[in-house]
Structure formats: structure tokens, C-alpha cells
Amino acid sequence: MERADLAQLIADQCEALDITYADIGELPARLYEMEEALIPHGLHIFGQNPSGAAREDMLDAMMDAGSLDGPTPDRAVLAAKLDSSDELGALIHALDGGFVQPAPGGDVVVNPQVLPTGRNIHGFDPFLMPSAYACRLGSEQAQQLIARHVNGGEPFPESIAMVLWGTDNMKSEGVQIAQAMTLMGARPRRDSYGRLCGAELIPLTELGRPRIDVVMTLSGIFRDLLPMQTRMLAEAALLAAQADETVEANFVRKHTLVHQAKHGCEFETAALRVFSNAEGAYGANVNQMIDGGVWADPDELANAFEINKGFAYGVSGKPVQQRDMLQSALGTVDFTYQNLESVELGINDVDQYVDGLGGVTRSVSRAKGVETPVYILDATRGSTKVRTLGEQIDLETRTRTLNPKWFEGLLEHGYEGVRQIEGHVTSTLGWSATTGQVAPWVYQKISETFVLDEAMRRRLSDLNPKSAGRVASRLLEACDRHLWEPDEATLAALREANDELEDRLEGVFPAE
Ligand code: BEZ
Ligand code: MG
């Protein structure tokens, strides 16, 4: 076939799959990325070790991850460790007052030391976080993040809003903490025993670029688990703000002076950059509002975020309600971002990504009056890839939500599988509401796969009539909110399917 014919064939196939490209040369890497994506196979059942194809897939993934940073691991050894897990036995032993061996926690694909499971997992040594290894990796990743933004044609960022999670830092020895430190041009200060005791600045001559302002919003879990690191981050921001440097070379100082003049507050107050919930409180409540459908204007989502996350943690470690300062700090932000640290959790698998990253993005967009770029730094496979949120949604929709391997694995778990599909649809709407970065084809294909396909619709409704109904009504909600504008035929079919699902729920169609 002629080259032009082939190009047309490829273009037609891509159009059918809603894959857009500027240059055909981009396609191999994009397709390879999708092909290579790891997808969790259903849910873990306590006490049940992986078997059959799932066991082989898991070993494959562990072999791949293991060979990235050293000699290829021994498959038989990995398999023996995997098979020797005795979670139920260990639980009973613990309940009997017996001793359960300690073991590291984390992602089994990346760290085989986690095996066998069913041991008493310990997280980390708080005095060693971030570790030297994490500082090196975090510094490289911070550079990759800046490069992605700048290579996209944007000016060098003055300010970044970053979401920090506790478990991700535990899994990575504090890589995300190290990223934040590097961006500000700071590093951990350690005592003569090598234990963490605070922050210190990297001299500008060594840093070789301006200090970037970082507005950090911590999950409640981070705040609880990592009080020393919380204070270290606050100290880094304060030291940067106080440094006797020009505002062209130090954006933390530049913005602090602006905030101070605006609010007429103490310098130290204007240098607050670490925000989280009030003590004892968790989450931004943005996910709950989206789940309940109880918002009229996206500004209400920004309000929820700021009300819940508007507590500043300064160098004393004691939180102070500072919503105005959070708003001012977010008003300088060029882009928002968060890491993905584990293959287990994609951006739609739990609703806390929309809650924290979506929430902060909505607040930044409101403060600035323009939509905010969002990046995801994917560190789940050993190497790092920075994607825009739009690219991440594209990838995960194709490799998870719409991928039979993902949903069939979950549907083996019955009603819970349908609930997980519903969760993806709700998160998708959440990303639209908070960031506006969901392409129409995502809603179209979700509708076709889970609602408009009669056999699938029946199947979901038999397994979990409530969730199946909510999948359809959520898609209609997206239409009502003008987050997605399908063609008339799709809309009519969705409405009809939704009516049928409601009738089935009300028992008009008794279970077959
Ligand atoms: C955390 O580790 O901080 C976290 C994990 C899951 C959801 C929200 C926060
Ligand atoms: Mg990792």
C-alpha cells in the first residue's frame, strides 16, 4: 500500500478511537505507553494469595520493575516469597497475642521486600525522611517538572501549588517532600548523627536558577504522620522568604513582600506556605460535594477547599486559620501538581485526587480568573514521566476505565466492582468540575460501554442496581451541568436507559 494510504488508514483508526495527534511520529510512543500501562487486577481479598494468570502478571511486573535498577531478579525466588504469604494465619496469631515479624510496607511491584505479606508493616524512620536517595530523586523530578512546563512554551514558573500525601512519602522515603525542598532551593539540615533537624537554603550560586515559590497543601494523613517534615517545609519557606536576595532570583521572597503589603501582616505570616486541615480534620470535602451533586457553582468547590485546607502550619507546628493567606498564595500559582506513586492507585481509583488536586486547582483558577495547568508526575514505574492532567485522564480512561481487563477484574467482585466503575465516572465529572480538562470522547465512550450497551447495562444493574443507576444519572448530570454536550441521539438514549435503570431499582422489573 502507498504511504499516503497507510497514513489515511492510521488516521481513520485513530479517529474511531478518539486518539488525536499533531504528527504521526508521536503515535508509536503514545501507543506503547498505553500497551505498557500496568492495571491492577481486581481487588485484593484478605488471605488469598494471587494465583493463575494474575500471579504470573504480578511476577512479570515485579521482574520488569526489578531489572530497572539492577540485575534481573530471580523469578523463582519472587514466586516463593509471594506464595508464602499467610495473612490469615498471621492475623489469628496476632489475635492470640503472638509475635508477628516486622516488614517494610509499600508497593510490592517496586519493592519485593514487602513479601511475604501478612507481617507487621512499619513505615519509615522519621529522622531519615527525606533520605539522601529521596533528595537526589526528588531533585531530578523537580527539574523534569519545570522542564515539562517550560518546554510547553510557558515562562519559567514563579509559583507552584503541590499536593503532598503521607503514604506516598512513606513509600518513597520522602521523594515528594524533597521535590518541594528543591523547588524552593532548600535541603534538609541534619545533626551530627545524620538525623533530620530542620531546613537550610541551597546558595543561589549552587542552585543555578531562581527559588520557586511552593504552596503546599498537605493531606491530613501527611500532617499526622510527618510533623517534623511539616515544620521543615515551613522553615524552608520562611528561610527563603527572609534571604537577602533579589526578588528576580527569589520568588518566595518576591511574593512574601507582596502578601505582606496587601494584608499588612507580620512578615512571618506572609511567608506561610504549608497548609492543611485543622487538627483532627481530613480532606477538602470537594469529593463529598461532587459525590452528592450538591453544588451549583464551581466556586462552591473552591470555597470548600479553602475552608477545609485554610489552616497554615508554620515553624512552630501549630496550625492557625489563614484562609486569606492561602487565597493570596494560590493567586500567584502558575500550575498545580501531584505525584502518582503507586500503580495500585490511579487518579480515578480513589476520590481524594479530585478532592486535593482538583480542589486546589479550582481555587487557583478562581483566584486568577483563568484555567490553571495541572501536571501529574508519574513515578509508578521506577522512571519518571510528567503528563498534563488531560494526558493522564486520556491514558487512564483507555487503560483502566474502558479496558475490559480492568473492569472485568473488578466485576468478578460483584457489587463492589460496579461501585468502582461508578467511582471512576464520579471522579471524571469531578475533574471536569474542578479543572475542565476532560475531553468529550471520555464521557461518550463511558456512556457507550457501561450504559448504552444493553447487555452490560443489565449486567451492572443485576450486580448493583444502585451504582448502575448512578453511573447513568452521573452522565446525565454532566450534561445538565454543561460539562459534556453529547449529540441528541446519545442524550435521548441515556435518558431512556436511566429511566429503565430507575424502574429496575424500584422493582418494576423483578430480578431475573
Ligand atoms: C495520604 O497518604 O496522605 C492519603 C492517602 C489516600 C488518600 C488521601 C490521602
Ligand atoms: Mg515508585
Side-chain angles (χ1 to χ4, degrees), residues 164-168 219-222 225 345 350 352-353:
L164 283 158
W165 281 9
T167 47
D168 285 355
S219 71
I221 294 176
F222 184 110
L225 288 174
L345 286 188
V350 290
Q352 283 93 348
Y353 285 110

Side-chain angles (χ1 to χ4, degrees), residues 15-20 30 34 390-391 393-399 401-402 428 438-449 484:
E15 197 186 332
L17 295 167
D18 299 286
I19 296 173
T20 52
R30 294 235 344 249
M34 287 178 216
E391 289 166 352
I393 291 171
D394 186 290
L395 179 66
E396 289 196 23
T397 301
R398 293 179 196 281
T399 58
T401 316
L402 297 173
T428 300
V438 183
W441 72 262
V442 171
Y443 287 105
Q444 183 72 34
K445 285 285 196 290
I446 289 176
S447 300
E448 288 168 10
T449 306
W484 170 46

Side-chain angles (χ1 to χ4, degrees), residues 103-107 110-111 114 120-126 128-131 133-134 164-178 219 221-227 229 341-342:
D107 187 330
V110 177
N111 182 11
V114 167
N120 189 3
I121 56 173
H122 56 78
F124 59 97
D125 178 346
L128 291 182
M129 185 189 289
S131 67
Y133 162 80
L164 283 158
W165 281 9
T167 47
D168 285 355
N169 279 285
M170 282 173 60
K171 288 176 192 166
S172 66
E173 301 179 359
V175 170
Q176 297 84 46
I177 294 169
S219 71
I221 294 176
F222 184 110
R223 180 259 342 259
D224 291 347
L225 288 174
L226 301 162
Q229 286 69 18
E341 192 52 45
S342 167

Side-chain angles (χ1 to χ4, degrees), residues 496-507:
E496 197 176 317
N498 187 53
D499 289 346
E500 182 200 301
L501 287 162
E502 278 177 7
D503 289 347
R504 281 172 67 91
L505 188 57
E506 283 164 19

